[in-house]
Coordinates of all heavy atoms in Angstrom, one line a residue:
Q1 N 7.2 28.7 6.5 CA 6.7 28.9 5.2 C 6.2 27.7 4.6 O 5.2 27.7 3.9 CB 7.7 29.6 4.3 CG 7.1 30.1 3.0 CD 8.2 30.9 2.2 OE1 9.3 30.9 2.5 NE2 7.7 31.6 1.2
W2 N 6.9 26.5 4.8 CA 6.4 25.3 4.2 C 5.1 24.9 4.7 O 4.3 24.2 4.1 CB 7.5 24.2 4.3 CG 7.8 23.8 5.7 CD1 8.7 24.3 6.5 CD2 7.1 22.8 6.5 NE1 8.7 23.7 7.8 CE2 7.7 22.8 7.8 CE3 6.0 21.9 6.2 CZ2 7.2 21.9 8.8 CZ3 5.6 21.1 7.2 CH2 6.2 21.1 8.5
A3 N 4.8 25.2 6.0 CA 3.5 24.9 6.6 C 2.4 25.6 5.9 O 1.3 25.0 5.7 CB 3.5 25.2 8.1
N4 N 2.6 26.8 5.5 CA 1.6 27.5 4.7 C 1.3 26.8 3.4 O 0.2 26.8 2.9 CB 1.9 29.0 4.5 CG 1.9 29.8 5.8 OD1 1.1 29.4 6.7 ND2 2.7 30.8 5.9
S5 N 2.4 26.3 2.8 CA 2.2 25.6 1.5 C 1.4 24.4 1.7 O 0.6 24.0 0.8 CB 3.6 25.3 0.9 OG 4.3 26.4 0.6
L6 N 1.6 23.7 2.8 CA 0.8 22.5 3.0 C -0.7 22.8 3.2 O -1.5 22.0 2.8 CB 1.3 21.7 4.3 CG 2.7 21.1 4.2 CD1 3.1 20.5 5.5 CD2 2.7 20.0 3.1
L7 N -1.0 23.9 3.8 CA -2.4 24.3 3.9 C -3.0 24.7 2.6 O -4.2 24.5 2.4 CB -2.5 25.4 4.9 CG -2.1 25.1 6.4 CD1 -2.2 26.3 7.2 CD2 -3.0 24.0 6.9
R8 N -2.2 25.2 1.7 CA -2.7 25.6 0.4 C -2.9 24.4 -0.6 O -3.8 24.4 -1.4 CB -1.8 26.6 -0.3 CG -1.8 28.0 0.3 CD -0.9 28.9 -0.4 NE 0.4 28.3 -0.5 CZ 1.5 29.0 -0.7 NH1 1.5 30.3 -0.8 NH2 2.7 28.4 -0.7
W9 N -2.0 23.5 -0.5 CA -2.0 22.3 -1.4 C -2.6 21.1 -0.7 O -2.1 20.7 0.3 CB -0.6 22.0 -1.9 CG 0.1 23.1 -2.6 CD1 -0.5 24.1 -3.3 CD2 1.5 23.3 -2.6 NE1 0.5 24.9 -3.8 CE2 1.7 24.5 -3.3 CE3 2.6 22.7 -2.0 CZ2 3.0 25.0 -3.6 CZ3 3.8 23.2 -2.2 CH2 4.0 24.3 -3.0
S10 N -3.6 20.6 -1.2 CA -4.2 19.4 -0.6 C -4.8 18.5 -1.7 O -5.2 18.9 -2.8 CB -5.4 19.8 0.3 OG -5.0 20.6 1.3
T11 N -4.8 17.2 -1.4 CA -5.4 16.2 -2.3 C -6.2 15.3 -1.4 O -5.9 15.0 -0.3 CB -4.4 15.4 -3.1 OG1 -3.5 14.7 -2.2 CG2 -3.6 16.3 -4.0
F12 N -7.3 14.8 -2.0 CA -8.1 13.8 -1.4 C -8.4 12.8 -2.5 O -9.0 13.1 -3.5 CB -9.4 14.4 -0.9 CG -10.4 13.5 -0.2 CD1 -10.2 13.3 1.1 CD2 -11.4 12.8 -0.9 CE1 -11.0 12.4 1.8 CE2 -12.2 12.0 -0.3 CZ -12.1 11.7 1.1
I13 N -7.9 11.5 -2.3 CA -7.9 10.6 -3.4 C -8.5 9.3 -2.9 O -8.2 8.8 -1.8 CB -6.5 10.3 -3.9 CG1 -5.8 11.6 -4.4 CG2 -6.5 9.2 -5.0 CD1 -4.4 11.4 -4.6
G14 N -9.4 8.6 -3.7 CA -9.8 7.3 -3.3 C -11.1 6.9 -3.9 O -11.7 7.6 -4.8
C15 N -11.5 5.7 -3.6 CA -12.7 5.1 -4.0 C -13.9 5.7 -3.2 O -13.9 5.4 -2.0 CB -12.7 3.6 -3.9 SG -14.3 2.8 -4.3
L16 N -14.7 6.4 -3.8 CA -15.8 7.1 -3.0 C -17.2 6.6 -3.4 O -18.1 7.1 -2.9 CB -15.7 8.6 -3.3 CG -14.3 9.2 -3.0 CD1 -14.3 10.7 -3.4 CD2 -14.0 9.1 -1.5
S17 N -17.3 5.7 -4.3 CA -18.6 5.2 -4.8 C -19.5 6.4 -5.1 O -20.6 6.4 -4.7 CB -19.2 4.3 -3.7 OG -18.4 3.1 -3.5
I18 N -18.9 7.4 -5.7 CA -19.6 8.6 -6.0 C -20.8 8.4 -6.9 O -21.7 9.3 -7.0 CB -18.6 9.6 -6.5 CG1 -17.8 10.1 -5.3 CG2 -19.3 10.8 -7.2 CD1 -16.9 11.3 -5.5
V19 N -20.8 7.4 -7.7 CA -21.9 7.1 -8.6 C -23.2 7.2 -7.8 O -24.2 7.7 -8.3 CB -21.8 5.7 -9.2 CG1 -23.0 5.4 -10.0 CG2 -20.6 5.8 -10.2
W20 N -23.3 6.7 -6.6 CA -24.5 6.7 -5.8 C -24.8 7.8 -4.9 O -25.9 8.2 -4.7 CB -24.6 5.4 -5.0 CG -24.6 4.2 -5.9 CD1 -25.7 3.7 -6.6 CD2 -23.5 3.4 -6.4 NE1 -25.3 2.6 -7.4 CE2 -24.0 2.4 -7.3 CE3 -22.1 3.4 -6.1 CZ2 -23.1 1.5 -7.9 CZ3 -21.3 2.5 -6.7 CH2 -21.8 1.5 -7.6
W21 N -23.7 8.5 -4.4 CA -24.0 9.6 -3.5 C -23.0 10.7 -3.7 O -22.5 11.4 -2.8 CB -24.0 9.2 -2.0 CG -22.9 8.2 -1.6 CD1 -22.8 6.9 -1.9 CD2 -21.7 8.5 -0.8 NE1 -21.7 6.3 -1.4 CE2 -21.0 7.3 -0.7 CE3 -21.3 9.6 -0.2 CZ2 -19.8 7.2 0.0 CZ3 -20.1 9.6 0.5 CH2 -19.4 8.4 0.6
G22 N -22.7 11.0 -5.0 CA -21.7 11.9 -5.4 C -22.0 13.4 -5.0 O -21.0 14.1 -4.6
L23 N -23.2 13.8 -5.1 CA -23.5 15.3 -4.8 C -23.2 15.6 -3.4 O -22.6 16.7 -3.1 CB -24.9 15.6 -5.2 CG -25.3 17.0 -5.0 CD1 -24.5 17.9 -5.9 CD2 -26.8 17.2 -5.4
Q24 N -23.5 14.8 -2.4 CA -23.2 15.0 -1.0 C -21.7 15.1 -0.8 O -21.2 16.0 -0.1 CB -23.8 14.0 -0.1 CG -25.3 14.0 -0.1 CD -25.9 13.2 -1.2 OE1 -25.3 12.7 -2.1 NE2 -27.2 13.0 -1.1
I25 N -20.9 14.2 -1.4 CA -19.4 14.2 -1.3 C -18.9 15.5 -1.9 O -18.0 16.2 -1.3 CB -18.8 13.0 -2.0 CG1 -19.1 11.7 -1.2 CG2 -17.3 13.1 -2.1 CD1 -18.3 11.6 0.1
K26 N -19.3 15.8 -3.1 CA -18.7 17.0 -3.8 C -19.0 18.3 -3.0 O -18.2 19.1 -2.9 CB -19.3 17.1 -5.2 CG -18.8 16.1 -6.1 CD -19.3 16.3 -7.5 CE -18.7 15.2 -8.5 NZ -19.0 15.5 -9.9
T27 N -20.2 18.4 -2.4 CA -20.6 19.5 -1.6 C -19.7 19.6 -0.4 O -19.2 20.7 0.0 CB -22.1 19.5 -1.2 OG1 -22.9 19.4 -2.4 CG2 -22.5 20.7 -0.4
A28 N -19.5 18.5 0.3 CA -18.7 18.5 1.5 C -17.3 18.9 1.3 O -16.7 19.7 2.0 CB -18.8 17.1 2.2
L29 N -16.7 18.3 0.2 CA -15.3 18.6 -0.1 C -15.1 20.0 -0.6 O -14.1 20.7 -0.4 CB -14.8 17.6 -1.2 CG -14.7 16.1 -0.6 CD1 -14.2 15.2 -1.8 CD2 -13.7 16.1 0.5
A30 N -16.1 20.5 -1.3 CA -16.1 21.9 -1.8 C -16.0 22.9 -0.6 O -15.4 24.0 -0.7 CB -17.3 22.2 -2.7
R31 N -16.6 22.6 0.5 CA -16.5 23.4 1.7 C -15.1 23.6 2.2 O -14.7 24.6 2.8 CB -17.3 22.8 2.8 CG -18.8 23.0 2.6 CD -19.6 22.5 3.7 NE -21.0 22.4 3.4 CZ -21.9 21.5 3.7 NH1 -21.4 20.4 4.5 NH2 -23.1 21.5 3.3
F32 N -14.2 22.6 1.8 CA -12.8 22.7 2.2 C -12.0 23.2 1.0 O -10.7 23.2 1.1 CB -12.3 21.3 2.6 CG -12.9 20.8 3.9 CD1 -13.9 19.9 3.9 CD2 -12.4 21.3 5.1 CE1 -14.5 19.5 5.1 CE2 -13.0 20.9 6.3 CZ -14.0 20.0 6.3
G33 N -12.6 23.7 0.0 CA -11.9 24.2 -1.2 C -11.4 23.2 -2.1 O -10.6 23.5 -3.0
L34 N -11.8 21.9 -2.0 CA -11.3 20.9 -2.8 C -12.3 20.7 -4.0 O -13.5 20.6 -3.9 CB -11.3 19.5 -2.1 CG -10.2 19.5 -1.0 CD1 -10.5 18.5 0.1 CD2 -8.9 19.2 -1.6
I35 N -11.7 20.7 -5.2 CA -12.5 20.5 -6.4 C -12.1 19.2 -7.1 O -10.9 18.8 -7.0 CB -12.4 21.7 -7.4 CG1 -11.0 21.9 -7.8 CG2 -13.0 22.9 -6.8 CD1 -10.8 22.9 -8.9
E36 N -13.0 18.6 -7.8 CA -12.7 17.3 -8.5 C -11.8 17.6 -9.7 O -12.1 18.4 -10.5 CB -13.9 16.6 -8.9 CG -13.6 15.2 -9.5 CD -14.9 14.4 -9.7 OE1 -16.0 14.9 -9.6 OE2 -14.7 13.2 -10.1
F37 N -10.8 16.8 -9.8 CA -10.0 16.7 -11.0 C -10.7 15.8 -11.9 O -10.7 14.6 -11.9 CB -8.6 16.1 -10.7 CG -7.6 16.0 -11.9 CD1 -8.0 16.5 -13.1 CD2 -6.4 15.6 -11.7 CE1 -7.1 16.4 -14.2 CE2 -5.5 15.5 -12.8 CZ -5.9 15.9 -14.0
D38 N -11.6 16.5 -12.7 CA -12.5 15.7 -13.6 C -11.9 15.4 -14.9 O -11.5 16.3 -15.6 CB -13.8 16.6 -13.8 CG -14.9 15.8 -14.3 OD1 -14.9 14.5 -14.2 OD2 -15.9 16.4 -14.7
A39 N -11.9 14.1 -15.3 CA -11.4 13.7 -16.5 C -12.4 12.8 -17.2 O -13.0 11.9 -16.5 CB -10.1 13.0 -16.4
T40 N -12.7 13.0 -18.4 CA -13.7 12.2 -19.1 C -13.0 10.8 -19.4 O -11.8 10.7 -19.5 CB -14.1 12.8 -20.4 OG1 -13.0 13.0 -21.2 CG2 -14.9 14.1 -20.2
Q41 N -13.8 9.8 -19.3 CA -13.3 8.4 -19.6 C -12.3 7.9 -18.6 O -11.4 7.2 -19.0 CB -12.8 8.3 -21.1 CG -13.8 8.7 -22.1 CD -15.0 7.8 -22.1 OE1 -14.9 6.6 -21.9 NE2 -16.2 8.4 -22.2
A42 N -12.4 8.3 -17.4 CA -11.6 7.8 -16.3 C -12.3 6.6 -15.6 O -12.4 6.6 -14.4 CB -11.2 8.9 -15.3
L43 N -12.7 5.7 -16.4 CA -13.5 4.5 -15.8 C -12.5 3.6 -15.1 O -11.5 3.2 -15.7 CB -14.2 3.8 -17.0 CG -15.1 4.7 -17.8 CD1 -15.7 3.9 -18.9 CD2 -16.2 5.4 -17.0
T44 N -12.8 3.2 -13.9 CA -11.9 2.5 -13.1 C -12.4 1.2 -12.5 O -11.7 0.5 -11.9 CB -11.4 3.4 -11.9 OG1 -12.6 3.8 -11.1 CG2 -10.7 4.6 -12.4
F45 N -13.7 0.9 -12.6 CA -14.3 -0.2 -12.0 C -15.4 -0.9 -12.8 O -16.2 -0.2 -13.4 CB -14.9 0.2 -10.6 CG -15.5 -1.0 -9.9 CD1 -14.7 -1.8 -9.1 CD2 -16.8 -1.3 -9.9 CE1 -15.2 -2.8 -8.4 CE2 -17.3 -2.4 -9.2 CZ -16.5 -3.1 -8.5
P46 N -15.4 -2.2 -12.9 CA -14.4 -3.2 -12.4 C -13.2 -3.2 -13.3 O -13.3 -2.8 -14.4 CB -15.1 -4.5 -12.4 CG -16.2 -4.3 -13.5 CD -16.6 -2.9 -13.5
A47 N -12.1 -3.6 -12.7 CA -10.8 -3.4 -13.4 C -10.7 -4.2 -14.8 O -10.2 -3.7 -15.7 CB -9.7 -3.9 -12.5
R48 N -11.3 -5.3 -14.8 CA -11.3 -6.1 -16.0 C -12.0 -5.5 -17.2 O -11.7 -5.7 -18.3 CB -11.7 -7.6 -15.8 CG -10.8 -8.4 -15.0 CD -11.2 -9.8 -14.9 NE -10.3 -10.6 -14.1 CZ -9.9 -11.8 -14.4 NH1 -10.3 -12.4 -15.5 NH2 -9.1 -12.4 -13.6
L49 N -13.2 -4.9 -16.9 CA -14.0 -4.3 -17.9 C -14.6 -3.0 -17.3 O -15.8 -3.0 -16.8 CB -15.1 -5.2 -18.4 CG -16.0 -4.7 -19.5 CD1 -15.3 -4.3 -20.7 CD2 -17.2 -5.7 -19.7
P50 N -13.8 -1.9 -17.2 CA -14.3 -0.7 -16.5 C -15.6 -0.1 -17.1 O -15.6 0.1 -18.3 CB -13.1 0.2 -16.6 CG -12.0 -0.6 -17.1 CD -12.5 -1.8 -17.8
L51 N -16.6 0.0 -16.3 CA -17.9 0.6 -16.7 C -18.2 1.9 -16.0 O -19.0 2.7 -16.5 CB -19.0 -0.4 -16.5 CG -18.8 -1.8 -17.2 CD1 -19.9 -2.8 -16.7 CD2 -18.9 -1.6 -18.7
V52 N -17.7 2.1 -14.8 CA -18.0 3.3 -14.0 C -16.7 3.9 -13.4 O -15.7 3.2 -13.2 CB -19.0 3.1 -12.9 CG1 -20.4 2.7 -13.5 CG2 -18.5 2.0 -11.9
Q53 N -16.8 5.1 -13.0 CA -15.7 5.8 -12.3 C -16.0 5.9 -10.8 O -16.8 6.7 -10.4 CB -15.4 7.2 -12.9 CG -14.2 7.8 -12.2 CD -13.9 9.2 -12.7 OE1 -14.5 9.7 -13.7 NE2 -12.9 9.9 -12.1
L54 N -15.5 5.0 -10.1 CA -15.7 5.0 -8.6 C -14.5 5.7 -7.9 O -14.6 6.1 -6.8 CB -15.8 3.6 -8.0 CG -17.0 2.8 -8.4 CD1 -17.0 1.4 -7.7 CD2 -18.3 3.5 -8.2
D55 N -13.4 5.9 -8.6 CA -12.2 6.5 -8.0 C -12.1 7.9 -8.5 O -12.2 8.2 -9.7 CB -11.0 5.6 -8.3 CG -11.2 4.2 -7.9 OD1 -10.9 3.9 -6.8 OD2 -11.7 3.4 -8.7
H56 N -11.8 8.8 -7.5 CA -11.7 10.2 -7.8 C -10.6 10.9 -7.2 O -10.0 10.4 -6.2 CB -13.0 10.9 -7.4 CG -14.2 10.3 -8.1 ND1 -14.8 10.9 -9.2 CD2 -15.0 9.3 -7.8 CE1 -15.8 10.2 -9.6 NE2 -16.0 9.2 -8.8
I57 N -10.2 12.0 -7.7 CA -9.1 12.9 -7.1 C -9.7 14.3 -6.9 O -10.2 14.9 -7.9 CB -7.9 12.9 -8.0 CG1 -7.3 11.5 -8.2 CG2 -6.8 13.9 -7.5 CD1 -6.2 11.4 -9.2
Y58 N -9.6 14.8 -5.7 CA -10.0 16.1 -5.4 C -8.8 16.9 -5.0 O -7.9 16.4 -4.3 CB -11.0 16.2 -4.3 CG -12.4 15.7 -4.7 CD1 -12.7 14.4 -4.8 CD2 -13.4 16.6 -5.1 CE1 -13.9 13.9 -5.2 CE2 -14.6 16.2 -5.5 CZ -14.9 14.9 -5.6 OH -16.1 14.4 -6.0
V59 N -8.6 18.2 -5.5 CA -7.4 18.9 -5.2 C -7.8 20.4 -4.8 O -8.8 20.9 -5.1 CB -6.5 19.0 -6.5 CG1 -6.0 17.6 -6.8 CG2 -7.2 19.7 -7.6
R60 N -6.8 21.0 -4.1 CA -6.8 22.4 -3.8 C -5.4 22.9 -4.0 O -4.5 22.4 -3.5 CB -7.3 22.6 -2.3 CG -7.3 24.0 -1.9 CD -7.7 24.3 -0.5 NE -6.9 23.5 0.4 CZ -7.3 23.0 1.6 NH1 -8.5 23.1 2.0 NH2 -6.5 22.4 2.4
G61 N -5.3 24.0 -4.7 CA -4.0 24.7 -4.9 C -3.1 24.1 -5.8 O -1.9 24.4 -5.9
L62 N -3.5 23.1 -6.6 CA -2.7 22.4 -7.6 C -3.4 22.6 -9.0 O -4.6 22.5 -9.1 CB -2.5 21.0 -7.3 CG -1.8 20.7 -5.9 CD1 -2.0 19.2 -5.6 CD2 -0.4 21.1 -6.0
T63 N -2.6 22.7 -10.0 CA -3.1 22.7 -11.4 C -3.0 21.4 -12.0 O -1.9 20.8 -12.2 CB -2.3 23.8 -12.2 OG1 -2.4 25.0 -11.5 CG2 -2.9 23.9 -13.6
P64 N -4.1 20.7 -12.3 CA -4.1 19.4 -13.0 C -3.5 19.5 -14.4 O -3.9 20.4 -15.1 CB -5.5 19.0 -13.0 CG -6.3 20.0 -12.2 CD -5.5 21.2 -12.1
L65 N -2.6 18.6 -14.7 CA -2.0 18.6 -16.0 C -2.4 17.4 -16.8 O -2.5 17.4 -18.0 CB -0.5 18.6 -15.9 CG 0.2 19.8 -15.3 CD1 1.7 19.6 -15.2 CD2 -0.2 21.1 -16.1
G66 N -2.7 16.3 -16.2 CA -3.1 15.1 -16.9 C -3.5 14.0 -15.9 O -3.2 14.0 -14.8
L67 N -4.3 13.1 -16.5 CA -4.8 12.0 -15.7 C -4.8 10.7 -16.6 O -5.3 10.8 -17.8 CB -6.2 12.2 -15.2 CG -6.9 11.2 -14.3 CD1 -6.2 11.2 -13.0 CD2 -8.4 11.4 -14.2
K68 N -4.3 9.6 -16.1 CA -4.3 8.4 -16.9 C -4.9 7.3 -16.1 O -4.7 7.2 -14.9 CB -2.8 8.0 -17.2 CG -2.2 9.0 -18.2 CD -0.7 8.5 -18.4 CE 0.0 9.5 -19.3 NZ 1.4 9.2 -19.5
V69 N -5.5 6.4 -16.8 CA -6.0 5.1 -16.2 C -5.3 4.0 -16.9 O -5.6 3.7 -18.1 CB -7.5 5.0 -16.3 CG1 -8.0 3.7 -15.7 CG2 -8.2 6.1 -15.6
P70 N -4.3 3.4 -16.3 CA -3.6 2.3 -17.0 C -4.5 1.1 -17.2 O -5.3 0.8 -16.4 CB -2.4 2.0 -16.1 CG -2.7 2.5 -14.8 CD -3.7 3.6 -15.0
R71 N -4.3 0.4 -18.3 CA -5.1 -0.8 -18.6 C -4.2 -2.0 -18.8 O -3.0 -1.9 -19.0 CB -5.9 -0.6 -19.9 CG -6.7 0.7 -19.9 CD -8.1 0.4 -19.8 NE -8.9 1.7 -20.0 CZ -9.7 2.2 -19.0 NH1 -9.8 1.5 -17.9 NH2 -10.3 3.3 -19.2
G72 N -4.7 -3.1 -18.7 CA -4.0 -4.4 -18.9 C -4.0 -5.3 -17.8 O -4.4 -5.0 -16.7
R73 N -3.6 -6.5 -18.1 CA -3.7 -7.6 -17.1 C -3.0 -7.3 -15.8 O -3.4 -7.6 -14.7 CB -3.2 -8.9 -17.8 CG -3.3 -10.1 -16.9 CD -2.9 -11.3 -17.5 NE -3.1 -12.4 -16.6 CZ -2.8 -13.7 -16.9 NH1 -2.3 -14.0 -18.0 NH2 -3.0 -14.6 -16.0
I74 N -1.8 -6.8 -15.9 CA -1.0 -6.5 -14.7 C -1.7 -5.6 -13.7 O -1.6 -5.8 -12.5 CB 0.4 -5.9 -15.1 CG1 1.3 -5.9 -13.9 CG2 0.2 -4.5 -15.7 CD1 2.7 -5.5 -14.2
W75 N -2.5 -4.7 -14.3 CA -3.3 -3.8 -13.4 C -4.5 -4.4 -12.8 O -4.8 -4.3 -11.6 CB -3.6 -2.5 -14.1 CG -2.4 -1.8 -14.6 CD1 -1.9 -1.7 -15.9 CD2 -1.5 -1.0 -13.8 NE1 -0.8 -0.9 -15.9 CE2 -0.5 -0.5 -14.6 CE3 -1.5 -0.7 -12.4 CZ2 0.5 0.3 -14.1 CZ3 -0.5 0.0 -11.9 CH2 0.5 0.5 -12.8
W76 N -5.3 -5.2 -13.6 CA -6.5 -5.8 -13.0 C -6.2 -7.0 -12.1 O -7.0 -7.4 -11.4 CB -7.6 -6.0 -14.0 CG -7.3 -6.9 -15.2 CD1 -7.2 -6.4 -16.5 CD2 -7.3 -8.3 -15.3 NE1 -7.0 -7.4 -17.4 CE2 -7.1 -8.6 -16.7 CE3 -7.4 -9.3 -14.4 CZ2 -7.0 -9.9 -17.2 CZ3 -7.3 -10.6 -14.9 CH2 -7.1 -10.9 -16.2
R77 N -5.0 -7.5 -12.2 CA -4.6 -8.6 -11.2 C -4.3 -8.0 -9.8 O -4.3 -8.8 -8.9 CB -3.4 -9.3 -11.8 CG -3.8 -10.2 -13.0 CD -2.7 -11.1 -13.4 NE -2.4 -12.1 -12.4 CZ -1.5 -13.0 -12.4 NH1 -0.7 -13.0 -13.5 NH2 -1.3 -13.8 -11.5
M78 N -3.9 -6.7 -9.8 CA -3.6 -6.1 -8.5 C -4.8 -5.7 -7.6 O -4.7 -5.7 -6.4 CB -2.7 -4.9 -8.7 CG -1.4 -5.2 -9.2 SD -0.4 -3.7 -9.3 CE 0.6 -4.1 -10.7
S79 N -5.9 -5.4 -8.3 CA -7.1 -4.9 -7.6 C -8.3 -5.0 -8.4 O -8.2 -5.2 -9.7 CB -6.8 -3.4 -7.2 OG -8.0 -2.8 -6.6
D80 N -9.5 -4.9 -7.8 CA -10.7 -4.8 -8.6 C -11.0 -3.4 -9.2 O -11.9 -3.2 -10.0 CB -11.9 -5.3 -7.8 CG -12.1 -4.5 -6.6 OD1 -11.2 -3.8 -6.1 OD2 -13.3 -4.6 -6.0
H81 N -10.1 -2.4 -8.8 CA -10.2 -1.1 -9.3 C -8.9 -0.8 -10.1 O -7.8 -1.3 -9.7 CB -10.2 0.0 -8.2 CG -11.5 0.0 -7.4 ND1 -12.4 1.0 -7.5 CD2 -12.0 -1.0 -6.6 CE1 -13.4 0.7 -6.7 NE2 -13.1 -0.5 -6.1
L82 N -9.0 -0.1 -11.2 CA -7.8 0.4 -11.9 C -7.3 1.7 -11.2 O -8.1 2.5 -10.7 CB -8.1 0.7 -13.4 CG -8.4 -0.5 -14.2 CD1 -8.9 0.0 -15.6 CD2 -7.3 -1.4 -14.3
P83 N -6.0 1.9 -11.2 CA -5.5 3.1 -10.5 C -5.7 4.3 -11.4 O -5.8 4.3 -12.6 CB -4.0 2.8 -10.4 CG -3.7 1.8 -11.5 CD -4.9 1.0 -11.7
L84 N -5.7 5.5 -10.7 CA -5.6 6.8 -11.4 C -4.2 7.3 -11.2 O -3.7 7.4 -10.1 CB -6.6 7.8 -10.7 CG -8.1 7.5 -10.9 CD1 -8.9 8.4 -10.1 CD2 -8.5 7.5 -12.4
I85 N -3.6 7.8 -12.3 CA -2.3 8.4 -12.2 C -2.4 9.8 -12.6 O -2.8 10.1 -13.8 CB -1.3 7.6 -13.1 CG1 -1.2 6.1 -12.6 CG2 0.1 8.3 -13.1 CD1 -0.3 5.3 -13.5
A86 N -2.2 10.7 -11.7 CA -2.4 12.1 -12.0 C -1.1 12.9 -12.0 O -0.2 12.5 -11.2 CB -3.4 12.7 -11.0
E87 N -1.0 13.9 -12.8 CA 0.1 14.8 -12.8 C -0.4 16.3 -12.5 O -1.4 16.7 -13.1 CB 0.8 14.8 -14.2 CG 2.1 15.6 -14.2 CD 2.7 15.5 -15.6 OE1 2.3 14.8 -16.5 OE2 3.8 16.2 -15.8
F88 N 0.4 16.9 -11.6 CA 0.0 18.3 -11.2 C 1.1 19.3 -11.4 O 2.3 18.9 -11.3 CB -0.5 18.3 -9.8 CG -1.6 17.4 -9.5 CD1 -1.5 16.2 -9.0 CD2 -2.9 17.9 -9.7 CE1 -2.5 15.3 -8.7 CE2 -4.0 17.1 -9.4 CZ -3.8 15.8 -8.9
Q89 N 0.8 20.5 -11.5 CA 1.8 21.6 -11.5 C 1.6 22.3 -10.1 O 0.4 22.6 -9.8 CB 1.6 22.6 -12.6 CG 2.6 23.7 -12.6 CD 2.3 24.7 -13.7 OE1 1.4 24.5 -14.5 NE2 3.1 25.7 -13.8
V90 N 2.7 22.5 -9.4 CA 2.6 23.2 -8.1 C 2.8 24.6 -8.3 O 3.6 25.1 -9.1 CB 3.6 22.6 -7.1 CG1 3.6 23.3 -5.8 CG2 3.5 21.1 -7.0

């Protein structure tokens, strides 16, 4: 039974540079039933002064509850991208 749950619940997370070729990515992931957890103002790049959202979360079978992009020196010192922190209901 847990195997069936794994097939129903899926996430695809990462830097996809969707700004430039987003429609192709969204179409391909939609074929697998994955939809974007879309949040306004989830700007993640560059970390010091975020101007665009290059990082995305796609889900299947999960209910998005919230998305945060932490800010501050500690975060931009770790990477050139800010992290996305998402909360889901199973």
